[in-house]
Amino acid sequence: MDCGQIFRWKKDEGFWKGWLNGSRVEMRIEGDILQYRAKPPITEDMVVNFLTLDLDYMKIYDGLPRDETTSTLIQRYRGLRILRQNPWECSVSYIISASMSIRSINAILNRICWAAYPKQEPSPFPTPQDFLKISPPRANYLGKKWFYLARLANILSSNPSFFKEFENLSYLDAWNKLVKGNEHIMGVGPKVADCVLLFSLNKFDAFPIDRWVLRGLKKFYPRILEKFGKGGIHESKTLTVHTYASISESARMYFGRYCGILQESIFLASRINDTSFLQCGL
DNA sequence: GCCCAGGTGCGGC
DNA sequence: GCCGCACATGGG
């Protein structure tokens, strides 16, 4: 809930509190029991869907490779799940996320929500229509990103089912459409596209590669990267679309159909040495 | 002040 | 196609 997959959830009095389909939800785990508190528009099916309780993670783990590193990661992060987010909110979050710290992303998203609905506290995430009504908190706030968010909001208000078109596509078709096709969204590059596909469009074979995952692959799975040559991939330089797609494909070949689920473990394991991350308490 | 954060679009070769 | 750069924000 607070490691950067989804944003704006807070732990308070033992409950994780956040938003689901525009309504307030609180949840916690007591022993083996998952409890949630929510009002009528929220159904149990929604909670089940949000937490991907329909997925059999034990079966998914069984399908992952048997090497020692993978086994260790599975053990260490057992219980870590992919959350099914709203595609619009997810896209906004990750368009903003580019080259930002997770803390900043949270702060910015909270600010946008408050700007849209200042009377509600805490504020839900704005609909595309309501996003278009707000003006940036100050001049040039977020720079070009603000413009990208407005473009996306415009697309969605004229075509609310924009993201539905991606549901029946294979991962690769969806990714190509988002990154290169006519459906390209400004601000959505190779990595953000993977996050949107994995976290909101059911593409569990998406494998987002950010600086942490790249470091993690280098450290934990050097063989996956070896075909790119020694020192062929420099951390400080951004990957070209071609190289990105190639590494992503290698990961998919090695980890299989649910590589996206293991990706989250690699992300966390890679970040665990980072001091700013230690404050998260994971 | 300087470096680093869940990268991307753009212009110059 | 690849490379280098600007780009906002906020914490260490």
Side-chain angles (χ1 to χ4, degrees):
Chain A
M1 291 298 195
D2 73 342
C3 69
Q5 179 183 158
I6 195 167
F7 301 92
R8 298 200 330 118
W9 281 72
K10 272 203 288 196
K11 199 167 192 181
D12 177 34
E13 294 173 341
F15 281 83
W16 280 106
K17 302 180 178 179
W19 298 95
L20 182 52
N21 299 341
S23 296
R24 202 74 182 140
V25 177
E26 308 178 352
M27 48 181 101
R28 70 173 172 187
I29 292 175
E30 283 278 290
D32 281 343
I33 309 294
L34 170 68
Q35 301 177 327
Y36 73 92
R37 300 197 292 218
K39 287 180 184 168
I42 297 294
T43 64
E44 189 160 307
D45 285 347
M46 291 181 190
V47 177
V48 166
N49 182 63
F50 175 58
L51 297 172
T52 58
L53 295 181
D54 53 306
L55 293 185
D56 185 345
Y57 278 73
M58 295 309 142
K59 211 169 184 177
I60 291 170
Y61 295 151
D62 280 344
L64 291 170
R66 302 280 173 182
D67 66 83
E68 201 174 318
T69 311
T70 306
S71 305
T72 306
L73 286 176
I74 290 169
Q75 272 190 7
R76 183 186 296 175
Y77 297 110
R78 191 165 291 255
L80 173 63
R81 315 181 74 85
I82 300 293
L83 304 170
R84 283 198 187 91
Q85 300 181 42
N86 171 277
W88 146 249
E89 178 171 349
C90 187
S91 306
V92 169
S93 304
Y94 281 97
I95 288 171
I96 291 170
S97 81
S99 190
M100 292 258 200
S101 72
I102 290 172
R103 285 178 63 111
S104 301
I105 300 162
N106 258 304
I108 291 164
L109 287 169
N110 278 323
R111 194 162 181 180
I112 288 174
C113 294
W114 185 81
Y117 310 114
K119 289 174 191 168
Q120 298 184 55
E121 190 67 32
S123 316
F125 196 82
T127 63
Q129 289 78 6
D130 287 343
F131 179 85
L132 291 169
K133 288 180 196 157
I134 63 181
S135 48
R138 60 168 175 266
N140 203 31
Y141 187 75
L142 291 181
K144 292 176 193 167
K145 283 178 185 171
W146 189 273
F147 171 71
Y148 299 155
L149 299 182
R151 296 241 325 183
L152 178 58
N154 266 311
I155 291 171
L156 287 173
S157 45
S158 62
N159 179 14
S161 57
F162 174 81
F163 283 114
K164 285 224 161 86
E165 300 167 26
F166 294 88
E167 277 173 15
N168 294 324
L169 296 179
S170 70
Y171 158 72
L172 216 52
D173 287 346
W175 189 84
N176 279 314
K177 227 175 170 180
L178 266 179
V179 176
K180 311 175 185 172
N182 291 336
E183 322 274 0
H184 173 63
I185 301 168
M186 293 286 268
V188 176
K191 187 270 176 181
V192 171
D194 274 337
C195 289
V196 172
L197 291 172
L198 177 60
F199 299 140
S200 73
L201 292 171
N202 281 309
K203 310 297 186 224
F204 301 106
D205 43 349
F207 191 85
I209 304 168
D210 62 9
R211 47 187 98 210
W212 292 110
V213 171
L214 194 57
R215 280 175 209 169
L217 289 177
K218 254 185 171 167
K219 201 167 169 183
F220 308 134
Y221 298 97
R223 292 197 53 191
I224 292 181
L225 292 180
E226 77 186 0
K227 73 169 178 182
F228 299 93
K230 288 173 189 163
I233 292 168
H234 300 279
E235 275 186 24
S236 53
K237 291 182 182 173
T238 51
L239 302 170
T240 65
V241 188
H242 181 74
T243 312
Y244 182 100
S246 184
I247 298 174
S248 176
E249 183 56 23
S250 301
R252 214 163 358 270
M253 293 298 287
Y254 184 69
F255 296 119
R257 197 151 59 98
Y258 290 98
C259 58
I261 286 170
L262 189 70
Q263 184 271 3
E264 282 301 283
S265 304
I266 298 173
F267 174 71
L268 292 179
S270 177
R271 277 210 332 143
I272 204 147
N273 294 323
D274 180 56
T275 51
S276 64
F277 174 66
L278 292 175
Q279 295 172 357
C280 278
L282 279 173

